[in-house]
Amino acid sequence: MLIKKNINHSKYIFWISVLFIWIIATFADRIWWNFYSNTPSWDQADYLNSALEHARALSFLEGNGASDFSSLLDKSPKIPPLASIINGAFIAFAGDSPHQAAWSLSFWNGFLIFNIASWGLYLRGKRFALFCVLISAFSPFLFHLRTDYVLELPLISAITFYLFHLGRWSDKSIGGKWIQLIIATFACAFSLLIKQSSLLVIIPSLLFIFLLSFKRDKKFRIQFLCLFLINLLAILPWFYHNWIMILSGTYRAVFESAAIEGDPFVLGFKSIFWYFPYLDNQFGSIIFFSGLSGIIFAFLTDLRSFKASSKLPYIFDENNYKWIWIYYNLITCWTFTTFIPNKDERYIACTIPLIILLLALGFCKWSDWLDTYFKFKYYVLLLIPPISFLLSNSINRFKNIENISSKYYPVKDIISIIKSDQTFDEKETVIVVPSTPDINQHNVSYFGRMQGGNILGRQLGQSLLHIEPVIKYSNWIILAEGDQGSVSSNSIALDKAIRDSSIFIKVREFPRKKEGSYSLWKRSSSSLKKNEFHNRFIELANGMELGPLGIKLIFDEIEIEHMLDGHFKYQSIVRDKALSKISSDPENVESLWSLSLLKILSNRPSEADIYLRNLEILLPNNPWPSAYRTIVNFASWNPWKASLIADRAYKRNPNYFLKGLGDMSALFRGAFWRLKSASNSVPNAIKSIDEALKPIEK
């Protein structure tokens, strides 16, 4: 009875210690956020915007809540929604300024620390777990993630939770229980719904379990099947709703960004060893080399005692499965990440928890050796992680308190001026020409939407075609004097056109750290011109009956309009007009085209199909309603209906495009015998589109 009481008391002290370490780390983070908080730049502001969007959609904050589940999914077209939902909940509780929103990062850090502590107990006990927690709390890389509003901290927190519980469930000595499976399933879904990068861990780990299942009993295989199916169902609604944007966005982020940034070829020597030099900076020299030398020391000890040939898999622990699970996931995740074309130091984040476990193992090996030969207790080694952090480059961030805290960020003042000019907090779009960390469309949108605001920032100037619409219809514009950041020569031309026109008045200039300044421009009251794009939209929608030529003209103009009007105010006007006309004349072709295009732009393919079906009946000799119906049904994961529509329309109106669509849809529904036909029809369809677009190219 006394022994049991002592064990419980020891565990109680251990978890209090872990909590104390998290509090110290949070205290350091809050010093940074409260005294050094600056304007979030591109990605950071984008993630904060997403959190605000989800908080409003779920009515955590003031604003129009999502009308239905699809409207909620609209808020996360590229990145899964779970992190934004949780971060939005913290914003609703703590506030929406950057330093208040950062309380969510403290939550994710606590989640990581307590998971890594649980993993440490599972692997080797309290001493090992304390080393794991201290390395996590004082890692410079993790401190950087805690003081930078990106998704990597939520991601690695969820990944740690997932790998720990999946490892426990798949461990034959203690696993196989249904409650363990439920937790592992929840952890997997949790990771998937935070960021796509989790697949770099989840895919190889599930492949390992799949191969392992052949050596386990029927119950284990049924449990694994349940885990797999439940996670498919968990990710399906979001992926089903946004799959086109997800795939295109992932392609741009992974491949196009790698090409633009000049990242090395994935099979090249530089690419393969790209992340190794960062390990020293991520953990600090003292932590990294202490842990690494301990691992090497253990390995050499076994070699010296001639045990390597028989005991190589058991070098680190007698319970072999636990460490094989860690080695396998570390190697596969590192390899998968290495062969992703786009490179950045934070992209290796998923491997960090596993590396922490290995470094902590190295500390334990040093502790064992020192205790054996010098009776040197391990407590002193616990001071190495905090000392390493104090000697790392991260501490230099705190030394610049006066420079950083006194730096002037103009975004707040710019938004304040625009809000003071608004009546009843009307919806407004600000055109942002410069693209710098201090001023860009993302942080303008974030500060414009704080405290219930409705001001959005949008960037124009990438094309000379933007100059005329901006001059005609924009109300507020932000320009830069001096270096404009990452903008093209066309943006400089737009800047000059605005300054040279007599339409805009400079409201105020704002200083900047580098040479030059930022300036806010407003359309003069004498040149106010109402944007009646809703009338132009109806004309453009009718152009859909021309096929590719009409579609190209439509999206060229809509792309610009969606920048000029980030709130899409024209859509409600068009919808009301079209529905009013259809109520009195159900066969009004003009209104049917308008509603079809609105539903396509709103990512409602099933609803667009209804209007396109009516157009197909009213315009039997026009192949394009059928072509669009095929596309929207394919987009809504219905290749069976899509191929039926295309094949039936092809008989009425022989057309290369319809033939190609029919063959492609048939292949996706499993009609592989049409592969030969598709190899001929698809190139011809592409050629027919190119020929249709030649008038625009000329």
Side-chain angles (χ1 to χ4, degrees):
M1 187 69 179
L2 183 61
I3 294 175
K4 185 176 180 180
K5 183 177 180 181
N6 289 336
I7 292 174
N8 291 335
H9 183 66
S10 177
K11 286 185 177 181
Y12 177 77
I13 293 175
F14 169 77
W15 288 112
I16 289 292
S17 302
V18 173
L19 178 63
F20 181 68
I21 293 169
W22 173 68
I23 290 173
I24 291 175
T26 302
F27 181 72
D29 299 345
R30 297 320 302 176
I31 291 175
W32 170 260
W33 280 107
N34 286 306
F35 293 100
Y36 310 83
S37 181
N38 52 17
T39 297
S41 53
W42 293 282
D43 287 352
Q44 295 85 345
D46 204 17
Y47 295 137
L48 282 164
N49 273 321
S50 180
L52 276 176
E53 284 273 2
H54 285 81
R56 287 186 171 191
L58 294 168
S59 299
F60 295 158
L61 296 173
E62 292 182 10
N64 297 325
S67 57
D68 53 27
F69 188 57
S70 294
S71 298
L72 177 62
L73 294 176
D74 287 337
K75 309 299 180 185
S76 50
K78 299 175 185 177
I79 301 293
L82 185 59
S84 294
I85 291 172
I86 294 174
N87 293 343
F90 273 91
I91 285 175
F93 176 75
D96 55 11
S97 63
H99 72 280
Q100 292 171 326
W103 274 108
S104 62
L105 296 175
S106 298
F107 161 77
W108 291 114
N109 183 47
F111 190 51
L112 170 65
I113 283 177
F114 278 86
N115 278 313
I116 208 85
S118 299
W119 210 341
L121 288 176
Y122 165 65
L123 290 171
R124 289 181 64 93
K126 291 190 290 293
R127 181 181 56 165
F128 176 76
L130 277 176
F131 282 124
C132 292
V133 170
L134 286 167
I135 294 172
S136 300
F138 293 101
S139 160
F141 178 65
L142 291 177
F143 171 72
H144 177 72
L145 294 184
R146 301 197 312 259
T147 54
D148 195 19
Y149 209 97
V150 290
L151 290 185
E152 270 62 33
L153 187 59
L155 174 66
I156 63 175
S157 302
I159 286 297
T160 306
F161 180 59
Y162 161 71
L163 286 177
F164 170 58
H165 287 286
L166 190 67
R168 281 176 56 88
W169 165 72
S170 59
D171 187 345
K172 192 174 182 179
S173 62
I174 63 168
K177 300 178 178 67
W178 280 101
I179 185 62
Q180 293 173 327
L181 173 77
I182 292 170
I183 297 173
T185 302
F186 170 75
C188 186
F190 196 73
S191 303
L192 281 170
L193 289 170
I194 286 180
K195 198 174 183 183
Q196 293 97 315
S197 304
S198 62
L199 290 171
L200 299 174
V201 174
I202 290 172
I203 289 176
S205 64
L206 292 183
L207 178 61
F208 182 89
I209 300 298
F210 173 73
L211 296 175
L212 187 67
S213 66
F214 290 102
K215 292 188 175 182
R216 297 292 179 87
D217 57 17
K218 184 178 179 180
K219 176 186 173 184
F220 184 87
R221 290 192 287 271
I222 292 174
Q223 288 179 334
F224 175 63
L225 180 62
C226 290
L227 182 148
F228 184 76
L229 293 177
I230 291 172
N231 277 279
L232 278 181
L233 293 174
I235 199 71
L236 186 61
W238 170 74
F239 187 78
Y240 171 81
H241 186 77
N242 295 302
W243 71 275
I244 296 176
M245 288 293 292
I246 294 167
L247 295 180
S248 61
T250 302
Y251 176 80
R252 287 195 298 271
V254 173
F255 297 100
E256 290 186 3
S257 294
I260 293 171
E261 295 166 9
D263 290 323
F265 176 58
V266 292
L267 297 178
F269 180 86
K270 187 177 180 181
S271 175
I272 293 172
F273 291 94
W274 178 272
Y275 291 105
F276 284 98
Y278 290 112
L279 290 174
D280 180 19
N281 292 331
Q282 287 173 331
F283 295 99
S285 299
I286 299 176
I287 289 178
F288 181 69
F289 287 107
S290 297
L292 182 63
S293 60
I295 295 171
I296 295 173
F297 174 72
F299 182 77
L300 294 177
T301 300
D302 275 277
L303 286 179
R304 189 176 179 182
S305 58
F306 299 100
K307 295 179 181 179
S309 59
S310 61
K311 202 180 177 183
L312 188 59
Y314 298 90
I315 288 177
F316 297 113
D317 199 278
E318 291 183 1
N319 194 335
N320 193 31
Y321 179 79
K322 299 176 182 179
W323 290 101
I324 284 183
W325 177 245
I326 292 170
Y327 304 147
Y328 168 83
N329 283 289
L330 174 58
I331 292 169
T332 53
C333 180
W334 184 281
T335 303
F336 275 40
T337 307
T338 296
F339 288 107
I340 295 295
N342 195 13
K343 307 290 185 186
D344 190 272
E345 181 180 358
R346 61 188 172 97
Y347 294 163
I348 203 68
C350 289
T351 64
I352 294 300
L354 299 168
I355 296 174
I356 287 172
L357 296 175
L358 289 185
L359 293 178
L361 187 62
F363 274 82
C364 281
K365 290 300 176 182
W366 276 118
S367 176
D368 292 341
W369 185 78
L370 291 172
D371 184 52
T372 300
Y373 293 98
F374 298 100
K375 304 302 179 184
F376 190 83
K377 296 300 180 183
Y378 76 93
Y379 303 113
V380 177
L381 295 178
L382 296 176
L383 297 175
I384 289 179
I387 292 172
S388 176
F389 178 78
L390 292 174
L391 297 176
S392 70
N393 292 331
S394 296
I395 203 66
N396 292 332
R397 300 178 73 185
F398 287 94
K399 294 179 181 179
N400 300 322
I401 176 170
E402 187 173 345
N403 293 333
I404 298 175
S405 60
S406 62
K407 183 179 176 182
Y408 176 67
Y409 298 98
V411 180
K412 294 180 181 179
D413 288 341
I414 290 173
I415 296 300
S416 178
I417 290 172
I418 297 172
K419 281 187 175 182
S420 66
D421 191 73
Q422 287 181 304
T423 55
F424 303 110
D425 201 21
E426 61 186 307
K427 295 180 178 179
E428 188 62 78
T429 302
V430 181
I431 304 303
V432 186
V433 178
S435 181
T436 68
D438 295 341
I439 296 281
N440 56 73
Q441 60 171 318
H442 300 298
N443 54 30
V444 168
S445 292
Y446 171 60
F447 281 95
R449 304 199 71 210
M450 283 172 52
Q451 299 176 357
N454 281 312
I455 299 172
L456 294 176
R458 292 292 182 264
Q459 187 170 25
L460 281 172
Q462 297 86 350
S463 168
L464 293 176
L465 296 175
H466 295 173
I467 295 177
E468 184 181 355
V470 169
I471 297 294
K472 280 185 176 181
Y473 301 118
S474 58
N475 291 323
W476 294 92
I477 302 174
I478 299 174
L479 302 178
E481 291 72 39
D483 180 22
Q484 294 198 40
S486 56
V487 299
S488 65
S489 59
N490 293 334
S491 297
I492 297 173
L494 173 61
D495 179 283
K496 186 176 185 303
I498 293 166
R499 295 177 190 275
D500 292 344
S501 74
S502 58
I503 297 172
F504 295 94
I505 302 170
K506 184 189 289 187
V507 178
R508 181 178 159 186
E509 281 194 2
F510 304 87
R512 59 194 298 196
K513 187 176 181 181
K514 296 181 180 179
E515 292 183 6
S517 59
Y518 297 108
S519 57
L520 178 64
W521 297 70
K522 180 187 177 185
R523 179 178 291 276
S524 64
S525 57
S526 60
S527 63
L528 288 177
K529 186 173 182 180
K530 190 174 182 180
N531 186 351
E532 296 186 345
F533 182 75
H534 54 273
N535 293 327
R536 179 61 180 149
F537 181 90
I538 295 170
E539 296 174 17
L540 291 170
N542 286 334
M544 291 177 71
E545 64 184 10
L546 301 176
L549 181 60
I551 291 293
K552 179 69 167 62
L553 292 171
I554 287 168
F555 282 94
D556 282 349
E557 292 201 35
I558 286 178
E559 179 185 19
I560 298 174
E561 177 60 25
H562 282 187
M563 295 291 105
L564 293 170
D565 174 17
H567 298 280
F568 313 147
K569 290 180 281 191
Y570 74 90
Q571 292 188 355
S572 60
I573 301 172
V574 172
R575 182 166 49 250
D576 292 343
K577 281 187 175 182
L579 291 173
S580 177
K581 288 183 179 180
I582 284 181
S583 64
S584 57
D585 179 13
E587 296 184 354
N588 187 293
V589 173
E590 181 184 79
S591 298
L592 288 171
W593 280 122
S594 296
L595 291 169
S596 299
L597 182 55
L598 280 178
K599 293 302 180 184
I600 291 170
L601 293 173
S602 303
N603 192 19
R604 299 294 186 273
S606 299
E607 296 177 33
D609 180 58
I610 297 171
Y611 298 114
L612 290 169
R613 168 61 179 160
N614 293 336
L615 286 166
E616 193 178 36
I617 295 170
L618 293 171
L619 304 172
N621 296 322
N622 190 323
W624 297 112
S626 300
Y628 302 139
R629 281 196 74 200
T630 303
I631 293 170
V632 298
N633 277 283
F634 185 80
S636 59
W637 293 26
N638 195 346
W640 300 271
K641 186 177 179 180
S643 64
L644 179 65
I645 292 168
D647 292 342
R648 188 173 57 201
Y650 179 73
K651 292 177 182 177
R652 294 196 311 269
N653 300 293
N655 176 297
Y656 279 128
F657 193 68
L658 284 171
K659 179 62 175 172
L661 287 175
D663 288 338
M664 286 299 296
S665 300
L667 288 175
F668 275 90
R669 68 174 171 83
F672 299 114
W673 56 87
R674 293 180 63 170
L675 182 61
K676 184 177 180 181
S677 175
S679 64
N680 180 56
S681 63
V682 172
N684 285 328
I686 295 172
K687 185 178 179 181
S688 69
I689 294 173
D690 291 338
E691 290 176 354
L693 295 178
K694 280 182 180 178
I696 296 180
E697 295 173 1
K698 292 178 181 178

